[in-house]
């Protein structure tokens, strides 16, 4: 089955007749009691929100999150973003051998190269206990497979296969930079915290064709699960210093920064502050980029974005190319300036009127 159109290519006013994965489905009712449905549809290039009005929804039959469907639709604008008005939807039957690579959104970065960078950071850790702990995780083939391919979120930031690895590497890079600036920041500890801070997301999210929060994730959350996972592995290392363990576990527990954002603890050591701010920074930039992907190119501003609690300015910065000035005898330019009225711009001075 050849996929002809991808979500990243479509614009307002386009017809979109293609196959996509249903990543989210919400059946709803109008005020008059009629049923309709909102959906989030995805392929490897991104996601887009869509709506099936009553007649189309009732005619579509049964379909569920994770299903591959064929749709016929038109792209409209809704609150500054693209929205699909679905005119028909048909569920497609596929077997286990079907290649879903066109439908699973993945990182644009090279996973092997990113993972090698993570291993390079681990190799640079000097504390034998922290290095041993990190290697316990990386020597586990099952953990490594999940760490390399898991998502970092369902929607907000790095919400795609390989997103957890990409995000963790970015946080490690930022923390490594900070350790080079602040002498009293423990590089080994902050790197270990950066690499391990989000490992609970491996259990919180189901990755693959349909990104979603697992039941365990809803009940426990990735911070709690990550804390327990790291604590378990620490217990396997004889003589692991208690204070070092407490500090690393505190980084895991506090990396969301605030109680209202899900952290059982607020940062109370320097390394925890570093991981929190690095995590927040990379999450915000990743979230901003997702909004850019789904924005209508004709609008300079987004609608109100809940995660940022504000609208965002999305217009691309456009700078005029600097004018090229011919290399000439500086003395001749000075003479020319002296011989001309000060109010007149020389030919070589285009664009500088009024500056002198």
């Amino acid at each position: 089955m050849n996929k002809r159109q991808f979500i990243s290519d479509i614009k307002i006013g386009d017809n979109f007749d293609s196959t996509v994965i249903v990543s989210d489905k919400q059946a709803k009712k109008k005020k008059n009691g009629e049923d309709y449905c909102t959906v989030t549809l995805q392929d490897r290039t991104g996601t887009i929100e869509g709506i099936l009005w009553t007649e189309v929804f009732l005619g579509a039959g049964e379909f569920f999150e994770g299903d591959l469907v064929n749709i016929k639709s038109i792209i409209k604008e809704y609150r500054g973003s693209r929205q699909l008005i679905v005119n028909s939807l048909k569920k497609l039957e596929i077997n286990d051998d079907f290649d879903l690579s066109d439908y699973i959104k993945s990182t644009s970065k090279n996973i092997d190269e990113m993972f090698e960078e993570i291993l390079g950071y681990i190799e640079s850790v000097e504390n034998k206990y922290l290095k041993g702990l990190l290697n316990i995780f990386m020597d586990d083939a099952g953990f490594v497979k999940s760490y390399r391919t898991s998502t970092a979120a369902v929607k907000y930031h790095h919400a795609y296969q390989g997103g957890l690895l990409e995000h963790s590497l970015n946080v490690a890079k930022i923390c490594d930079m900070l350790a080079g600036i602040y002498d009293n920041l423990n590089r080994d500890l902050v790197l270990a915290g950066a690499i391990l801070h989000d490992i609970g997301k491996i259990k919180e999210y189901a990755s693959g064709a349909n990104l979603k929060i697992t039941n365990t994730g809803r009940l426990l959350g990735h911070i709690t699960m990550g804390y327990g996972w790291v604590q378990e592995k620490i217990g396997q290392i004889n003589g692991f210093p208690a204070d070092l363990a407490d500090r690393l576990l505190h980084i895991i527990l506090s990396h969301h920064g605030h109680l209202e954002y899900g952290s059982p603890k607020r940062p109370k050591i320097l390394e925890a502050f570093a991981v929190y701010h690095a995590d927040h920074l990379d999450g915000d930039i990743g979230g901003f980029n997702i909004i850019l992907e789904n924005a209508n190119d004709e609008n300079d501003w987004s609608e109100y974005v809940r995660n940022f609690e504000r609208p965002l300015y999305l217009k691309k910065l456009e700078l005029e190319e600097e004018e090229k000035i011919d290399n000439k005898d500086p003395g001749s330019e000075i003479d020319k300036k002296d011989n001309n009225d000060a109010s007149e711009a020389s030919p070589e001075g285009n664009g500088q009127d009024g500056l002198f």
Side-chain angles (χ1 to χ4, degrees):
M1 182 185 299
N2 293 323
K3 183 169 167 59
R4 299 181 304 278
Q5 290 178 289
F6 287 90
I7 289 172
S8 63
D9 299 327
I10 54 179
K11 295 179 172 57
I12 305 297
D14 287 351
N15 290 312
F16 183 58
D17 301 340
S18 191
T19 50
V20 287
I21 291 284
V22 180
S23 63
D24 185 69
K25 173 188 175 184
Q26 300 291 328
K28 300 181 178 181
K29 285 188 179 293
K30 300 179 184 177
K31 291 182 179 179
N32 64 5
E34 291 182 347
D35 294 318
Y36 73 103
C37 179
T38 60
V39 291
T40 303
L41 304 171
Q42 74 174 47
D43 61 27
R44 63 174 171 81
T45 67
T47 61
I48 190 168
E49 305 299 316
I51 190 163
L52 287 72
W53 293 117
T54 303
E55 184 176 347
V56 176
F57 179 42
L58 296 179
E62 284 195 337
F63 67 96
F64 303 97
E65 293 177 359
D67 282 345
L68 181 69
V69 297
N70 182 270
I71 63 166
K72 296 183 183 299
S73 61
I74 188 168
I75 317 303
K76 300 287 188 179
E77 180 182 357
Y78 180 67
R79 293 182 176 177
S81 296
R82 301 172 303 164
Q83 183 188 59
L84 286 177
I85 305 300
V86 180
N87 297 317
S88 71
L89 181 148
K90 180 181 179 182
K91 177 181 175 180
L92 301 177
E93 299 297 334
I94 59 175
N95 55 41
D96 293 338
D97 296 328
F98 185 83
D99 182 8
L100 287 171
S101 58
D102 277 342
Y103 306 94
I104 300 177
K105 188 178 181 186
S106 300
T107 175
S108 60
K109 309 288 181 63
N110 184 293
I111 286 180
D112 290 335
E113 290 178 1
M114 288 193 294
F115 187 65
E116 285 301 315
E117 287 190 75
I118 287 286
L119 294 181
Y121 278 119
I122 293 173
E123 182 61 30
S124 73
V125 170
E126 296 179 354
N127 183 279
K128 67 176 184 179
Y129 296 104
L130 292 174
K131 179 180 283 190
L133 174 66
L134 291 165
N135 283 329
I136 284 178
F137 280 104
M138 299 305 164
D139 289 341
D140 182 335
F143 172 85
V144 168
K145 180 180 179 181
S146 297
Y147 189 74
R148 287 165 53 100
T149 59
S150 290
T151 182
V154 172
K155 289 185 177 180
Y156 174 48
H157 72 90
H158 301 89
Y160 39 75
Q161 185 170 278
L164 175 62
L165 175 61
E166 182 181 334
H167 171 60
S168 299
L169 177 59
N170 288 347
V171 175
K173 287 179 176 179
I174 295 169
C175 286
D176 186 39
M177 178 190 68
L178 293 175
I181 298 172
Y182 302 104
D183 293 340
N184 60 334
L185 191 63
N186 186 296
R187 181 179 183 273
D188 289 349
L189 180 57
V190 78
L191 280 180
I195 292 168
L196 297 175
H197 78 284
D198 264 350
I199 60 171
K201 288 183 174 180
I202 291 172
K203 299 178 180 180
E204 182 175 36
Y205 300 127
S207 297
N210 184 27
L211 303 180
K212 63 180 181 180
I213 304 176
T214 64
N215 291 335
T216 303
R218 290 185 185 277
L219 292 171
L220 301 180
H222 74 274
I223 292 178
T224 303
M225 290 187 286
Y227 168 86
W229 210 348
V230 173
Q231 186 180 50
E232 174 194 345
K233 300 303 182 184
I234 286 175
Q236 297 176 14
I237 300 176
N238 291 331
F240 200 105
D243 185 41
L244 182 62
D246 288 344
R247 289 170 184 264
L248 178 58
L249 292 170
H250 174 71
I251 291 173
I252 306 294
L253 289 177
S254 65
H255 77 264
H256 276 196
H258 302 274
L259 304 179
E260 60 268 32
Y261 295 156
S263 275
K265 290 292 181 182
R266 300 180 69 189
K268 295 184 176 70
I269 61 173
L270 192 59
E271 291 76 18
F273 277 105
V275 172
Y276 156 60
H277 284 291
D279 177 52
H280 197 145
L281 173 63
D282 189 58
D284 276 355
I285 292 176
F288 195 103
N289 285 335
I290 286 178
I291 292 166
L292 278 176
E293 287 178 8
N294 294 320
N296 175 9
D297 292 339
E298 298 178 0
N299 291 337
D300 292 344
W301 287 88
S302 75
E303 289 293 314
Y304 179 88
V305 180
R306 183 173 62 85
N307 285 318
F308 289 104
E309 299 180 334
R310 75 207 75 166
L312 301 175
Y313 190 47
L314 305 177
K315 185 178 179 181
K316 184 179 179 181
L317 176 65
E318 296 178 358
L319 299 176
E320 293 183 7
E321 185 177 354
E322 293 184 5
E323 293 180 320
K324 297 180 179 179
I325 301 176
D326 295 333
N327 292 324
K328 296 187 177 181
D329 180 7
S332 66
E333 294 301 319
I334 293 173
D335 293 341
K336 187 181 294 183
K337 183 175 186 298
D338 290 340
N339 292 329
N340 285 317
D341 187 276
S343 64
E344 295 177 356
S346 67
E348 290 78 16
N350 292 337
Q352 295 186 352
D353 296 28
L355 292 180
F356 302 100

